[in-house]
Amino acid sequence: MGAQHLLFLDSHQLGLYRWHPGELQELARHPLNNAGQTALARWLEAHPDTQLRLLVNLAEEGFQVETLPYLHGADRRAVLERRQAQHFFGTPYVLEIPLGHLQTQRKEERVLLAALTQPTLLDPWLQLLQQKHIPFAGLYSLPQLTSTLCRLLDLPRERCLVLTVHSHGLRESLVMGGETVFSRLTPLADRSIAGMAGSIAAEAHKLQQYLSSQRLIGRNEQLTVCPLVHRQALEALSQTCQNQAPLVFQPLELEQTASRLGYRWVPDDSLADPLFLYLLAGHPPQHQFAPALLRQDYQLARLRRGLLALGLTILALGLVLLGQQLNDIRRLQDEQARMEAAADKLQAEYGQLLAGIPGLSLGKEQLRRLLEQYDRMQQGQPLAQAMEALSHALDEVPEARLERLLWLHADRQNTLTVEGSLPPGSPRQQVRHFEDLLLALDKRNIRNEVLNHPVDMAPDKPLRGGDQDADNTPIPSFRLRLHWEAQP
């Protein structure tokens, strides 16, 4: 968006100003004719990216306070448009300002309607801005900024009459409830200090009577009158404008007021036009008169600026993320370089150790057979462990004799079939010796399965413990199957 410029239109000329933060510079003044429009068009062609606001100070301005039923959306808009057409027919430059709700038997809304009632003074200039596609921020009136002035100076918001001097008259604006509800521009015949002071005093009394007759204020209600003049006119104003009920005069000095608002401006006289231009640039009102079509280029410019800001923000975030990624890449590259250096060092040490190991005298075939033998030894290690456990179990039961072993290896499952015998004796002794053997195996975590019991344990045969013929009795034998899993 380019620089911000302001236009000031009254009934005689159009002023063009450039706004710097805290400083206002006058660029040109154009007459209200074709020559002025042509000059402005040439300037607009040379500055297509400028942002413009238009401030008008015209006598043709109307105000109306309306009470509306409590409505929303399209119904409220339809009622407002109907009231605007009733009061200000024929002008598109109308605005409404909500004034709050009335708590009566039914909830109602108060709305201030304001309009610039002579569009022919504005149409040529606004159409020119539209044709040149200039970003037009808004159309404002000087009474609008009067309420802003009262708010910033903390003047009485309920009832305050502000009198300001301008190039072609005296502006009288009534501010009630923080908004300007009435304003008029009267001619100022005598522009001397004494004449201006006398006109201010006379107009204040006449306007108080008119406002009370219109029931905008009560007849005996106190009205604060704030004339805004140059410091050279303060003494004459204090002598002429004496407090007389219900009027209370509170003069404002122009330079001091500008300083309180933060503007570097030294006025030469009592003309307040630059002060209101400062207010427009620094504190533009929320509401304005221009229709939406006239502000279309301004809205598009704002959208472009927002998209540009969003793009720059995304670009900045992308650059930040890119920096982080580059930093991570650099860190990983440094770490990789350190790891490669460490690997090279270890490789060198491994080569030195390998060079110090004497060479093998075995050939490849001999080495293969040696490894196969080692694998068989590893496979036989679980058998050795089982044989050791079986040996210890047999040590605990010396009566049991080992006759034969059969080892079967499949995957990780190992099976050992044990065949043995017990010494001759009574069946009860043989059963006891056999159970002791099984118990000894259980203690060593060897699962066993009885394939053949040394004593016939059929239920139809009695178990006797008497003397037997040793020559005719066969040697008791047993068969066990031992199971275990090889460790991986």
Side-chain angles (χ1 to χ4, degrees):
M1 183 69 69
Q4 182 178 175
H5 291 81
L6 305 176
L7 297 174
F8 183 71
L9 177 68
D10 57 22
S11 57
H12 293 79
Q13 62 184 0
L14 175 74
L16 175 62
Y17 299 84
R18 177 182 173 86
W19 165 253
H20 297 274
E23 183 179 353
L24 191 69
Q25 177 186 2
E26 182 178 349
L27 300 180
R29 294 188 181 184
H30 302 298
L32 303 185
N33 52 28
N34 293 333
Q37 297 175 21
T38 303
L40 181 62
R42 287 197 300 267
W43 185 89
L44 293 177
E45 291 174 356
H47 302 81
D49 295 331
T50 185
Q51 176 184 316
L52 281 175
R53 299 180 189 272
L54 174 58
L55 176 64
V56 298
N57 183 23
L58 302 174
E60 295 81 5
E61 186 171 1
F63 299 87
Q64 185 68 37
V65 177
E66 285 288 335
T67 301
L68 306 179
Y70 187 67
L71 299 172
H72 294 281
D75 295 336
R76 181 179 181 275
R77 171 52 50 190
V79 173
L80 277 174
E81 291 177 354
R82 186 165 58 249
R83 298 291 177 87
Q84 291 173 2
Q86 291 174 357
H87 296 291
F88 310 114
F89 180 76
T91 177
Y93 310 117
V94 184
L95 63 81
E96 65 272 356
I97 301 176
L99 299 179
H101 294 85
L102 298 174
Q103 299 298 334
T104 56
Q105 294 182 352
R106 63 173 186 174
K107 194 173 183 180
E108 295 178 321
E109 180 184 10
R110 295 179 70 246
V111 178
L112 171 64
L113 301 179
L116 303 175
T117 57
Q118 192 171 355
T120 55
L121 294 175
L122 300 170
D123 288 341
W125 306 101
L126 296 178
Q127 291 174 3
L128 180 60
L129 298 180
Q130 187 177 9
Q131 292 172 1
K132 300 299 181 181
H133 298 285
I134 300 299
F136 180 55
L139 172 62
Y140 307 89
S141 69
L142 196 140
Q144 271 185 286
L145 296 172
T146 304
S147 58
T148 303
L149 180 67
C150 291
R151 184 179 71 253
L152 295 178
L153 297 179
D154 199 20
L155 299 178
R157 296 169 58 91
E158 293 303 321
R159 284 178 301 277
C160 181
L161 180 61
V162 180
L163 304 178
T164 53
V165 180
H166 301 276
S167 302
H168 301 285
L170 181 67
R171 171 65 68 175
E172 308 166 6
S173 301
L174 175 65
V175 178
M176 296 183 64
E179 297 292 343
T180 303
V181 298
F182 176 83
S183 182
R184 72 178 181 184
L185 185 63
T186 60
L188 190 61
D190 188 356
R191 292 188 171 271
S192 64
I193 293 179
M196 181 178 60
S199 298
I200 289 175
E203 288 295 329
H205 287 280
K206 289 193 295 183
L207 189 58
Q208 188 274 335
Q209 296 175 1
Y210 174 78
L211 294 176
S212 61
S213 66
Q214 296 295 317
R215 298 184 179 180
L216 289 174
I217 61 174
R219 184 172 298 275
N220 296 320
E221 286 182 343
Q222 177 178 312
L223 179 62
T224 302
V225 182
C226 298
L228 185 63
V229 295
H230 194 270
R231 63 173 178 267
Q232 296 177 355
L234 286 178
E235 183 178 356
L237 194 66
S238 61
Q239 295 176 358
T240 306
C241 301
Q242 300 291 331
N243 293 339
Q244 182 178 356
L247 297 181
V248 176
F249 286 90
Q250 184 179 334
L252 300 175
E253 198 270 314
L254 197 56
E255 183 178 358
Q256 184 180 5
T257 299
S259 178
R260 288 179 60 185
L261 297 177
Y263 304 136
R264 300 187 298 270
W265 174 50
V266 180
D268 298 328
D269 49 26
S270 295
L271 295 181
D273 296 342
L275 178 64
F276 284 93
L277 288 170
Y278 276 113
L279 283 175
L280 177 61
H283 304 275
Q286 180 181 1
H287 304 87
Q288 55 87 41
F289 289 91
L293 183 61
L294 292 176
R295 303 178 70 239
Q296 184 175 6
D297 294 299
Y298 172 72
Q299 299 294 351
L300 291 176
R302 287 186 60 188
L303 180 60
R304 287 194 297 267
R305 184 173 56 182
L307 292 177
L308 179 60
L310 178 61
L312 292 177
T313 302
I314 294 175
L315 177 61
L317 292 177
L319 292 176
V320 171
L321 294 177
L322 178 61
Q324 293 179 351
Q325 294 294 327
L326 292 176
N327 187 33
D328 293 341
I329 291 174
R330 189 179 300 108
R331 178 177 54 81
L332 291 176
Q333 289 176 345
D334 295 341
E335 185 176 354
Q336 181 182 2
R338 289 194 300 269
M339 293 179 67
E340 290 177 352
D344 293 340
K345 182 180 179 182
L346 292 176
Q347 187 68 26
E349 293 178 356
Y350 174 73
Q352 293 176 359
L353 292 175
L354 205 60
I357 297 175
L360 295 176
S361 60
L362 299 176
K364 292 183 179 180
E365 187 63 26
Q366 293 176 332
L367 186 59
R368 184 182 61 81
R369 289 197 299 267
L370 183 61
L371 291 175
E372 290 178 353
Q373 292 176 5
Y374 176 77
D375 291 338
R376 287 195 297 270
M377 290 178 61
Q378 287 294 102
Q379 293 177 0
Q381 185 177 3
L383 176 62
Q385 296 174 356
M387 294 294 289
E388 182 181 359
L390 179 60
S391 175
H392 288 300
L394 292 174
D395 288 342
E396 294 184 10
V397 186
E399 292 81 7
R401 296 181 62 185
L402 186 62
E403 301 291 344
R404 185 181 179 188
L405 292 175
L406 178 62
W407 174 43
L408 178 63
H409 173 74
D411 296 332
R412 290 177 57 191
Q413 186 68 34
N414 293 273
T415 303
L416 182 64
T417 303
V418 179
E419 296 182 3
S421 63
L422 294 173
S426 65
R428 294 183 184 276
Q429 291 176 346
Q430 294 172 358
V431 170
R432 186 175 66 252
H433 294 328
F434 186 68
E435 290 178 351
D436 291 342
L437 177 62
L438 296 179
L439 183 60
L441 292 172
D442 290 338
K443 289 192 300 182
R444 287 163 178 78
N445 298 324
I446 301 297
R447 294 186 289 111
N448 54 77
E449 178 185 354
V450 179
L451 301 178
N452 188 17
H453 204 279
V455 178
D456 190 0
M457 301 297 292
D460 58 344
K461 293 185 179 182
L463 184 62
R464 297 179 180 178
D467 295 335
Q468 297 180 359
D469 188 359
D471 296 334
N472 299 325
T473 304
I475 298 176
S477 61
F478 59 87
R479 290 180 67 207
L480 296 176
R481 183 175 293 164
L482 307 182
H483 304 275
W484 74 95
E485 291 185 0
Q487 298 298 325

